[in-house]
Amino acid sequence: MNHVANPCSIEDFIAVASVLCPEVIEVKGCTFISDLYQNNIERLEEQFENDRKKIEQFVNTWSLGDFFLEAYTESVENEKLINQFGETLVYFWSRRVKELFPEKNIVVEIDDGLMGESGLAITLYQI
């Protein structure tokens, strides 16, 4: 705890909380991480022929390395650490969507090259 508590500001803690517990919205039956959604559902429905899973994956997939573009360190290249980060996000995002949408079957997973992303990425979609 001290590793985080001592050098971080209140703003840093709030920012981390927004990553671990993101705002999740529903638009026309699709579930999105709100920071990733660009208010373009009609274009997405056309592009992916109304395939909800593909629409959600397209919007909700993010390379784990991209979380650290402005704060890059060699730790981003450490496979064990990036996997731990991914598993942490899966844990918290899964709890978040279960809390918000208990009736939906939403999958949160990490994998290499999801939706064309570089390296290990996280995604969220309904099945």
Side-chain angles (χ1 to χ4, degrees):
M1 268 198 204
N2 284 334
H3 181 73
V4 174
N6 291 324
C8 291
S9 68
I10 291 174
E11 292 88 353
D12 294 336
F13 270 93
I14 292 169
V16 168
S18 74
V19 171
L20 296 177
C21 190
E23 179 182 35
V24 182
I25 60 173
E26 185 175 22
V27 179
K28 293 180 77 174
C30 293
T31 306
F32 300 117
I33 302 293
S34 69
D35 283 343
L36 303 178
Y37 178 67
Q38 298 177 357
N39 200 24
N40 56 346
I41 190 67
E42 288 79 17
R43 185 182 61 77
L44 292 168
E45 288 173 329
E46 184 178 322
Q47 179 180 352
F48 294 103
E49 299 175 340
N50 293 311
D51 185 325
R52 183 182 66 213
K53 179 181 175 182
K54 288 180 182 176
I55 292 169
E56 290 175 337
Q57 283 185 303
F58 180 79
V59 171
N60 296 323
T61 300
W62 197 358
S63 172
L64 297 182
D66 286 351
F67 279 86
F68 306 100
L69 290 177
E70 292 185 30
Y72 179 85
T73 65
E74 288 184 16
S75 60
V76 174
E77 303 299 328
N78 183 312
E79 190 173 323
K80 182 178 178 185
L81 288 177
I82 203 75
N83 275 306
Q84 282 182 311
F85 174 64
E87 291 300 329
T88 299
L89 289 180
V90 167
Y91 173 80
F92 282 102
W93 287 17
S94 295
R95 291 182 60 96
R96 178 71 169 153
V97 295
K98 285 253 187 268
E99 172 189 2
L100 294 173
F101 306 103
E103 72 287 352
K104 292 186 178 199
N105 192 5
I106 299 175
V107 173
V108 181
E109 65 184 5
I110 56 171
D111 205 349
D112 278 314
L114 288 170
M115 296 302 286
E117 291 289 327
S118 176
L120 199 60
I122 189 166
T123 193
L124 177 151
Y125 58 91
Q126 294 179 72
I127 54 172

